[in-house]
Amino acid sequence: MAEFVERMKGIRICPVLVIEDKNDAIPLGKALLEGKLPVAEVTFRTAAAKEAIALMVKEYPDLYVGAGTVITLQQCKDAVEAGAKFIVSPSFSHEVAAFCREREIPYCPGVLTPTEISMAMSYDIPVVKFFPAGQFGGVQTIKSYAAVFQNLYFMPTGGVNLQNIGEYLSFSKVLCVGGTWLCKKEFLETKDFALITKNCLEAYELSH
């Protein structure tokens, strides 16, 4: 997890990608790199996720490619087989946590409650995804949890946007934020990769 923490601490924003067409993977990876956000969380919400990850990993060695919305152990295995460097989930899974710990793959599970946080910490996980952050108190809730779980970092996702990333990132226990606003579904439908790069650059400037 040390590499994951250091990389995300420097990048600060993790683009969350829903890729329907595997052919979008290569130009999308280029758009992220040109936008100074060299990380991709490819969600397992679509059938193209595994191939998209494999294509990005092969084409862009400098792009830190991971898998998101990983709910089942099989999805996790598929993501790792494709070359994913880290795993992100909307919830906590003992099976996924055990698999990732055994193979030394960074796992960032989704949490909402102190109990779920404690479950993650029992696997020595140093970063949890607070999701959906906007609907459950945002940075104020994170600050309350951080006062108790002092050695933990948070990656808030859900409801994060250009208007509030500054508030999130100003808190030292927020490692980075995740968001889909950088690469919305309609941007990929119209193949507007230039707009994705523009959004990434704007987010980079705000977060650095």
Side-chain angles (χ1 to χ4, degrees), residues 164-184:
N164 61 26
I165 58 172
E167 181 182 10
Y168 280 108
L169 293 175
S170 65
F171 183 49
S172 62
K173 291 300 181 179
V174 171
L175 180 69
C176 60
V177 299
T180 58
W181 86 91
L182 298 162
C183 180
K184 294 182 179 179

Side-chain angles (χ1 to χ4, degrees), residues 13-208:
I13 298 176
C14 182
V16 179
L17 314 175
V18 183
I19 302 175
E20 299 281 355
D21 182 354
K22 67 177 183 179
N23 294 317
D24 290 335
I26 300 301
L28 183 50
K30 181 181 179 183
L32 297 179
L33 289 169
E34 291 179 347
K36 297 185 178 181
L37 296 182
V39 61
E41 180 189 323
V42 181
T43 65
F44 264 73
R45 303 180 195 178
T46 72
K50 183 177 181 179
E51 288 185 275
I53 290 171
L55 287 168
M56 283 184 168
V57 168
K58 181 179 180 180
E59 185 72 16
Y60 302 113
D62 294 332
L63 187 65
Y64 195 44
V65 183
T69 321
V70 174
I71 299 172
T72 68
L73 178 58
Q74 187 58 54
Q75 287 175 328
C76 183
K77 290 179 177 179
D78 287 343
V80 172
E81 183 180 344
K85 300 299 190 295
F86 62 90
I87 302 295
V88 181
S89 297
S91 54
F92 179 82
S93 166
H94 286 287
E95 286 186 324
V96 173
F99 179 86
C100 288
R101 183 170 64 178
E102 181 181 341
R103 287 159 180 77
E104 298 184 348
I105 298 165
Y107 175 45
C108 184
V111 302
L112 273 180
T113 68
T115 299
E116 291 166 332
I117 292 173
S118 295
M119 289 163 58
M121 293 184 72
S122 72
Y123 284 86
D124 299 319
I125 293 172
V127 185
V128 293
K129 172 179 177 175
F130 184 57
F131 173 80
Q135 289 78 4
F136 287 88
V139 71
Q140 296 306 317
T141 301
I142 293 173
K143 287 180 177 179
S144 295
Y145 286 157
V148 179
F149 303 101
Q150 298 181 2
N151 296 320
L152 193 68
Y153 284 109
F154 295 84
M155 183 170 75
T157 308
V160 180
N161 52 51
L162 289 176
Q163 287 69 47
N164 61 26
I165 58 172
E167 181 182 10
Y168 280 108
L169 293 175
S170 65
F171 183 49
S172 62
K173 291 300 181 179
V174 171
L175 180 69
C176 60
V177 299
T180 58
W181 86 91
L182 298 162
C183 180
K184 294 182 179 179
K185 181 180 179 181
E186 53 264 35
F187 302 165
L188 290 180
E189 289 176 346
T190 58
K191 311 299 181 185
D192 198 343
F193 298 104
L195 179 56
I196 294 170
T197 294
K198 179 178 178 292
N199 287 343
C200 290
L201 286 171
E202 185 177 8
Y204 174 86
E205 293 299 328
L206 283 173
S207 59
H208 290 74

